[in-house]
Amino acid sequence: MNQTALHRMLALKDLKDLKKVSPQNLFDLRVTTNLPLIKELFYSLYKDPKHDLYFKELLELLPSLFQTRSDELKLHDLYLLKKGNWYQSENMVGMQLYVDLFNNNLKGIEEKIPYFKTLGINFLHLMPITTRPKGENDGGYAVNSYTAVDRRFGSKKDLLSLTSKLRAEGIYLMLDFVVNHTSDEYPWAKKALQGSAKYQGYYFMYPDRTIPDAFEASLPEVFPATSPGNFTYRKEIDHWVMTVFNSYQWDLNYKNPKVFLEMLSNLVAMINSGVDVVRFDALAFLWKNIGTNSQNLPEAHMLISLFRMCLQTIAPGVIFLAEAIVAPKEIIKYFGEGNREGNECDVAYNASLMALLWNSIATKKTLLLNKTLQNSLPKPQESTWINYVRCHDDIGLGLDDHYISELGWDPWLHRKFLLDYYCQGLDWSPAVGYQFMYNPSTGDGRITGSCASLLGLEKAIRIQHTAAIEHAIQKILMLHGIILSYGGIPLIYAGDEIGTLNDYSYLDDDHKKYDSRWVNRPSHSWQTVANLKEKETPSSIIFNGLKHMISIRKKNKVFADANNTILHDPRNPHLFMFERSGKNKEGVLVLANFDEHPQILGVDVLHSLGYVKDGTLSDILSSQKRKLNSGLMEVQPYELLWLAKP
Ligand code: GLC
């Protein structure tokens, strides 16, 4: 049982009637129950006796931060706590969007609530909205403040108005907490640049290359093409500062407990605007040690858990999402392992599933997908995934070389093939994507492009090829149908619901043209939305198809994530098959064909799993019965079936 479940249990009686509840008493109870964990985590990171001082500071900070939370949010927290694991519900369907690109500003988002409702969206991830440097700012991931709303998006008042509307409409909100770094214009960075020793101690700053070189010996590069190395020289103070991401993003030094305390205050100030899910950005990088790659270190996990246990006492309704785009065996650790199980992040991006789906499209085979998923460790009971097809970032090929080799493929050649397939290296490929951060010395590279363009729609429209257009649409719907039915929260990238193609306008912007991720950060086309009803266009087929699948998901409890996703072997290298099973023997069998040709499935599997009645299957997606006439069932190219258990 994780701490949230424990808090729920201990508060069971009080939570019965939220009108009579005393938030203060329940806060005291949570502090008491979390304190041993908080203390242990704090002292395993901050071992020096002089750190006692900061522990005392933390003990005073918790109640004072609790007081900064509004009465309304204190109650909302308890409402969510009482609700149980709401984030695992079949009702959850999310959308990620850039506020300005979607509809100008925060007011514009409020206006579009009916749009979200039409599609069935009840969870929003708004990309960074706080102040940032004027020039390059990594799409707002270089923060000048954790709370001040950037003027282009509106005001604090607009944000509060939006979050209160969202709460009233039952729409959950996720915002980023850029926990690993600030911009070089952040007040602490500015003071450090003016020579303040205190604030220089908030970052990793060195007067010469000795320590930077020692770090570099084992640090990989995140943006090798545009921001090589992990340190930036600042002539103002003749120092080197650690900048793992871009040169203007300064890594925070959490070895300094003061940084943790201040960032905890920043976190609470941020969620006090009405945030339900905190996207803990780049959290794999939080702790740095010379001689390591400074990613996924045990101390990073302790630190995240420390943040989590503290925040939980203050705002028990708010949950954490791990933004760790790392190998499958590392991702799972962000839910918390061993005695921290369930006490780190509640949700994590399922980057493995995402990368494996793209791998399956390119190879038309599901072997690596099945092999990797079959061998993945189970996640804790209370946690869930965010399943996604595309997001604002590149597609990293986080595939396991060991499994690639076991399939008889050469890992290096396989990765090269994927890059060529998606990034226009092969004439016959339908994809129109771009390389991101290609590193010629290692051959490593990542892929960028919009979902529709990577799946062939852009090229098919360009050459006016009806069958290719149909295939692209089927692939878009099939991948989204998989993330909508696999256990977890499906997160649709805004624009993908109307088949948005690559956007090349970023090439005209000096601050963006070096970052090809912008090709998939288009302005939302409200003109396309206005035309959805008019005629059968690729956009309307995609939109209506998604809307239909979302409504079916919401009607079927088996789609809730109760760790009830079971993979089955389809005995056909092109098919993907998994089952969602319910408590009362109900079930849905999801079947997808990644090949451009029809594929067959042995009917015996369907019989043994109990999906055949009177020689027929029932597909809830098409509302059609399918008669089985032989021992083999045919699955059409890129077909997706959601078969209901009779
Ligand atoms: C995360 C964001 C990415 C950003 C990076 C640095 O990975 O998704 O867009 O560049 O953090 O903040």
Side-chain angles (χ1 to χ4, degrees):
M1 183 192 296
N2 69 0
Q3 290 300 104
T4 314
L6 182 67
H7 293 152
R8 187 176 306 123
M9 229 184 79
L10 292 176
L12 211 58
K13 261 213 304 271
D14 303 70
L15 292 178
K16 270 200 184 115
D17 187 352
L18 289 182
K19 281 194 201 98
K20 290 196 196 131
V21 82
S22 154
Q24 182 64 48
N25 288 352
L26 291 180
F27 166 76
D28 293 341
L29 186 65
R30 288 193 301 276
V31 174
T32 322
T33 42
N34 274 17
L35 203 54
L37 289 174
I38 293 177
K39 189 173 167 204
E40 189 192 320
L41 288 163
F42 185 91
Y43 281 106
S44 33
L45 291 169
Y46 306 115
K47 300 189 171 99
D48 198 312
K50 69 172 193 273
H51 289 151
D52 271 345
L53 178 77
Y54 297 106
F55 186 65
K56 285 186 196 126
E57 217 179 283
L58 175 60
L59 291 187
E60 282 161 22
L61 191 60
L62 294 177
S64 73
L65 288 176
F66 180 64
Q67 290 321 325
T68 63
R69 204 142 167 82
S70 71
D71 289 343
E72 191 197 341
L73 288 180
K74 282 179 185 165
L75 263 188
H76 186 64
D77 279 331
L78 296 177
Y79 162 75
L80 290 181
L81 186 66
K82 180 175 173 177
K83 224 172 165 192
N85 297 342
W86 50 271
Y87 47 89
Q88 293 181 319
S89 160
E90 70 284 0
N91 222 1
M92 297 294 293
V93 179
M95 180 170 272
Q96 174 192 3
L97 57 91
Y98 281 93
V99 171
D100 49 347
L101 299 174
F102 191 73
N103 199 28
N104 301 319
N105 50 31
L106 292 164
K107 280 201 180 109
I109 301 300
E110 206 174 309
E111 278 164 28
K112 293 298 176 191
I113 290 179
Y115 180 71
F116 301 129
K117 297 209 114 173
T118 307
L119 192 57
I121 302 297
N122 68 338
F123 169 59
L124 289 182
H125 172 206
L126 304 186
M127 298 297 282
I129 49 170
T130 53
T131 50
R132 74 278 312 273
K134 273 219 176 59
E136 284 184 47
N137 54 46
D138 194 14
Y141 282 96
V143 292
N144 283 2
S145 163
Y146 286 94
T147 47
V149 175
D150 190 291
R151 243 193 274 145
R152 82 188 77 182
F153 304 111
S155 63
K156 190 69 195 269
K157 207 169 132 220
D158 297 338
L159 177 61
L160 293 176
S161 155
L162 173 65
T163 57
S164 106
K165 281 261 164 55
L166 293 179
R167 262 197 309 287
E169 297 282 354
I171 300 177
Y172 299 97
L173 174 67
M174 175 158 87
L175 289 187
D176 278 273
F177 186 59
V178 186
V179 60
N180 178 66
H181 43 261
T182 71
S183 79
D184 59 355
E185 292 181 7
Y186 192 80
W188 302 338
K190 279 189 179 160
K191 286 183 191 146
L193 282 174
Q194 284 156 10
S196 155
K198 174 179 169 188
Y199 289 104
Q200 289 184 359
Y202 278 36
Y203 300 97
F204 296 88
M205 298 191 102
Y206 306 100
D208 59 42
R209 285 289 311 182
T210 318
I211 296 180
D213 286 345
F215 265 116
E216 289 289 12
S218 54
L219 275 182
E221 292 172 312
V222 178
F223 295 140
T226 50
S227 196
N230 290 280
F231 289 84
T232 302
Y233 178 71
R234 296 302 297 239
K235 63 175 180 323
E236 299 93 318
I237 42 167
D238 190 23
H239 267 61
W240 292 87
V241 53
M242 186 185 265
T243 53
V244 168
F245 288 83
N246 289 296
S247 57
Y248 50 84
Q249 286 164 308
W250 288 16
D251 289 70
L252 287 163
N253 182 1
Y254 282 97
K255 292 192 175 170
N256 178 350
K258 195 73 195 150
V259 172
F260 164 68
L261 294 174
E262 296 232 37
M263 287 299 281
L264 180 64
S265 303
N266 279 335
L267 173 61
V268 175
M270 185 201 93
I271 59 152
N272 280 348
S273 56
V275 174
D276 304 293
V277 186
V278 175
R279 181 182 183 273
F280 237 48
D281 180 62
L283 80 181
F285 298 81
L286 284 184
W287 201 271
K288 279 93 174 172
N289 280 339
I290 290 176
T292 72
N293 67 0
S294 296
Q295 287 183 32
N296 311 307
L297 295 186
E299 293 92 335
H301 285 284
M302 289 176 205
L303 181 64
I304 297 159
S305 193
L306 179 60
F307 268 115
R308 179 78 189 103
M309 292 300 97
C310 291
L311 189 75
Q312 200 176 54
T313 62
I314 298 161
V318 177
I319 59 168
F320 269 28
L321 162 76
E323 194 261 332
I325 311 303
V326 294
K329 66 176 193 313
E330 293 296 341
I331 294 184
I332 201 90
K333 294 183 187 163
Y334 287 91
F335 293 126
E337 278 188 304
N339 58 2
R340 281 198 307 276
E341 188 178 300
N343 290 328
E344 260 186 67
C345 294
D346 311 80
V347 194
Y349 280 108
N350 199 346
S352 311
L353 179 68
M354 182 275 302
L356 288 161
L357 290 176
W358 287 104
N359 180 75
S360 305
I361 288 285
T363 58
K364 306 189 176 78
K365 293 200 176 75
T366 53
L367 297 168
L368 191 61
L369 172 69
N370 279 317
K371 197 178 189 54
T372 313
L373 294 180
Q374 292 284 9
N375 287 293
S376 295
L377 291 170
K379 61 181 172 52
Q381 193 58 36
E382 270 94 14
S383 54
T384 199
W385 294 113
I386 281 209
N387 293 313
Y388 63 114
V389 177
R390 282 298 284 121
C391 69
H392 69 295
D393 278 331
D394 49 290
I395 301 171
L397 302 177
L399 310 170
D400 196 319
D401 281 354
H402 178 71
Y403 295 141
I404 300 179
S405 302
E406 277 186 4
L407 290 172
W409 302 334
D410 176 276
W412 190 88
L413 285 177
H414 186 67
R415 285 166 194 279
K416 172 91 180 90
F417 161 72
L418 292 176
L419 280 181
D420 282 356
Y421 176 90
Y422 283 116
C423 307
Q424 306 177 62
L426 297 169
D427 285 345
W428 55 266
S429 165
V432 180
Y434 294 84
Q435 284 185 1
F436 178 69
M437 296 295 148
Y438 182 66
N439 190 342
S441 61
T442 59
D444 275 349
R446 283 120 79 179
I447 298 158
T448 176
S450 82
C451 171
S453 292
L454 288 171
L455 290 176
L457 191 58
E458 182 169 335
K459 194 165 177 179
I461 291 176
R462 196 196 307 144
I463 58 173
Q464 290 286 313
H465 195 300
T466 315
I469 293 178
E470 266 169 33
H471 269 182
I473 295 174
Q474 281 159 349
K475 283 189 264 185
I476 294 171
L477 289 173
M478 181 180 80
L479 290 193
H480 280 91
I482 291 172
I483 63 152
L484 278 160
S485 52
Y486 201 81
I489 308 173
L491 188 67
I492 298 166
Y493 187 61
D496 288 350
E497 81 282 15
I498 48 171
T500 306
L501 305 178
N502 286 340
D503 174 12
Y504 299 103
S505 62
Y506 79 102
L507 293 167
D508 302 326
D509 184 329
D510 283 343
H511 297 307
K512 293 179 179 163
K513 65 180 179 202
Y514 300 106
D515 188 341
S516 59
R517 288 177 299 174
W518 283 98
V519 82
N520 190 32
R521 297 173 183 175
S523 292
H524 206 73
S525 170
W526 292 107
Q527 189 54 52
T528 307
V529 174
N531 293 339
L532 285 176
K533 286 206 189 88
E534 303 234 310
K535 49 183 172 26
E536 281 254 302
T537 58
S539 298
S540 66
I541 302 171
I542 294 166
F543 185 87
N544 290 323
L546 272 181
K547 189 175 150 190
H548 176 63
M549 290 193 284
I550 292 172
S551 73
I552 296 180
R553 170 186 160 97
K554 294 193 177 215
K555 279 186 224 133
N556 285 278
K557 281 218 171 326
V558 305
F559 288 123
D561 185 12
N563 277 345
N564 53 343
T565 305
I566 310 155
L567 292 166
H568 293 297
D569 180 5
R571 293 177 296 163
N572 177 323
H574 306 281
L575 300 180
F576 183 37
M577 181 162 82
F578 61 88
E579 188 179 10
R580 304 302 312 279
S581 63
K583 277 196 199 116
N584 305 319
K585 296 205 178 130
E586 68 273 37
V588 169
L589 189 69
V590 176
L591 189 57
N593 178 8
F594 279 78
D595 196 25
E596 60 194 345
H597 301 292
Q599 289 296 330
I600 47 160
L601 175 79
V603 166
D604 53 334
V605 185
L606 299 169
H607 276 288
S608 65
L609 293 172
Y611 281 84
V612 187
K613 194 178 171 193
D614 303 331
T616 349
L617 297 169
S618 158
D619 175 27
I620 52 175
L621 274 183
S622 60
S623 312
Q624 286 193 352
K625 300 260 183 237
R626 191 178 283 215
K627 194 107 194 109
L628 296 171
N629 296 320
S630 82
L632 296 175
M633 173 197 174
E634 208 172 64
V635 191
Q636 296 311 309
Y638 306 117
E639 188 175 23
L640 177 76
L641 296 154
W642 285 0
L643 303 173
K645 201 168 207 169

